[in-house]
Amino acid sequence: MTPGKVFKLIGSLFGAAGVAAAITILSLGMRSVLNVGGTCASGNSPYVIRQQCPTGVAWLLPVSIWAGLGFLLLFYLCAPDGGKRCAILAWPALFLSLGWNFLQYGLPIQGHGAAAGWLVPGILFIIMGIVPLFFVLPGMIRTLRGVPPESAFSPIPKWNPSAGFVGNFDQNPNFAQAPPSNTPPGPMFSPPAPPTHSPPPRGPGGSDVTTELERLAALHRNGDLNDAEYESAKRAVVFGGGT
Amino acid sequence: MTKRLALVALHLVAIAGGIVAAFALFHATT
């Protein structure tokens, strides 16, 4: 492991620990404010303060917010490419922990009656924390298992008006020369096939290789093809063999 | 896979450490 990688690992670990610490302090600070009624004030002021904030909370909360953002940036900059997306987990962690606080003080489980004023933000925060998990967790599990985020063998093809289904080789006319679907699948990450010396095939509809390549480049620019799909498609057009 | 799991475990330990440190800091400050 090179020194650069060691520094990045340490930065990533410090970033993750710092974000966790910042969210924990925010949550604890919020609970201490909820304990005194949900609102408080502190400092020198011409106004009379009805409820003093618990000691230290008035500066801990803003500092933890900015420090947490800083640690999140540190984590994002230092984490390896596959781990950067984990930074998004700070959002559910923040909203679920604060939402739980609201719910705990809103529901009649702390020796007092239900408080709708805490229940509404509690439910809202829980929803805001849970919903993103449905979108980010599958990708993280794929990354953990070593599968590319959008595999060329994705069972869900994308629809493109000019190219039909893109992303599923069996249904895409650009991959007409790929092995038929009843062929046993090969290893998922097999190295690319060596180029053959046969003359470049002509694409469907009589278009030549250049036109096909330009069309693929346009699809790639538009985001309809990811990098892996684009490379595979180029090989299929140029060498006629697919991957 | 093993390396990735080790990295994830390492980060989970760091997060746990951060949470414990935050509890200690908060209770020492307030």
Side-chain angles (χ1 to χ4, degrees):
Chain A
M1 189 177 254
T2 62
K5 283 190 174 180
V6 172
F7 278 120
K8 282 204 160 190
L9 175 63
I10 292 173
S12 168
L13 290 172
F14 263 100
V19 172
I23 291 175
T24 305
I25 289 177
L26 262 179
S27 177
L28 291 173
M30 174 186 171
R31 293 177 73 87
S32 68
V33 174
L34 285 171
N35 275 335
V36 295
T39 55
C40 66
S42 66
N44 296 322
S45 163
Y47 301 102
V48 176
I49 296 175
R50 178 190 290 179
Q51 177 62 57
Q52 284 284 347
C53 285
T55 312
V57 166
W59 67 267
L60 266 179
L61 290 184
V63 167
S64 66
I65 291 171
W66 289 106
L69 288 173
F71 280 119
L72 190 63
L73 181 65
L74 176 68
F75 172 81
Y76 187 81
L77 292 177
C78 295
D81 287 340
K84 288 188 190 303
R85 66 172 64 190
C86 292
I88 199 72
L89 288 179
W91 175 280
L94 175 68
F95 279 93
L96 287 178
S97 60
L98 301 191
W100 168 250
N101 286 347
F102 274 130
L103 281 186
Q104 206 175 1
Y105 282 81
L107 292 170
I109 54 178
Q110 293 257 335
H112 53 71
W118 300 142
L119 280 180
V120 173
I123 293 169
L124 188 66
F125 273 40
I126 293 290
I127 292 173
M128 288 172 71
I130 283 182
V131 169
L133 289 178
F134 289 104
F135 295 97
V136 298
L137 279 185
M140 286 179 188
I141 293 170
R142 275 201 300 269
T143 303
L144 193 61
R145 293 171 60 196
V147 182
E150 283 197 45
S151 167
F153 294 90
S154 168
I156 306 172
K158 295 176 187 171
W159 172 256
N160 183 288
S162 61
F165 284 104
V166 177
N168 186 323
F169 288 175
D170 291 340
Q171 297 179 35
N172 191 329
N174 289 325
F175 304 102
Q177 297 181 23
S181 59
N182 58 358
T183 303
M188 203 160 186
F189 300 108
S190 59
T196 60
H197 296 288
S198 57
R202 297 180 74 80
S207 60
D208 58 24
V209 173
T210 309
T211 309
E212 281 300 299
L213 289 175
E214 286 171 352
R215 199 168 65 82
L216 288 173
L219 287 171
H220 183 238
R221 272 197 306 275
N222 292 338
D224 295 322
L225 290 176
N226 63 29
D227 291 343
E229 291 168 342
Y230 178 52
E231 290 302 320
S232 300
K234 275 198 302 186
R235 275 198 295 273
V237 169
V238 173
F239 302 118
T243 51
Chain B
M1 182 76 175
T2 309
K3 187 185 169 192
R4 274 190 293 269
L5 282 177
L7 270 178
V8 171
L10 210 55
H11 280 82
L12 288 179
V13 170
I15 288 170
I19 292 172
V20 171
F23 267 91
L25 175 67
F26 187 82
H27 288 298
T29 308
T30 60

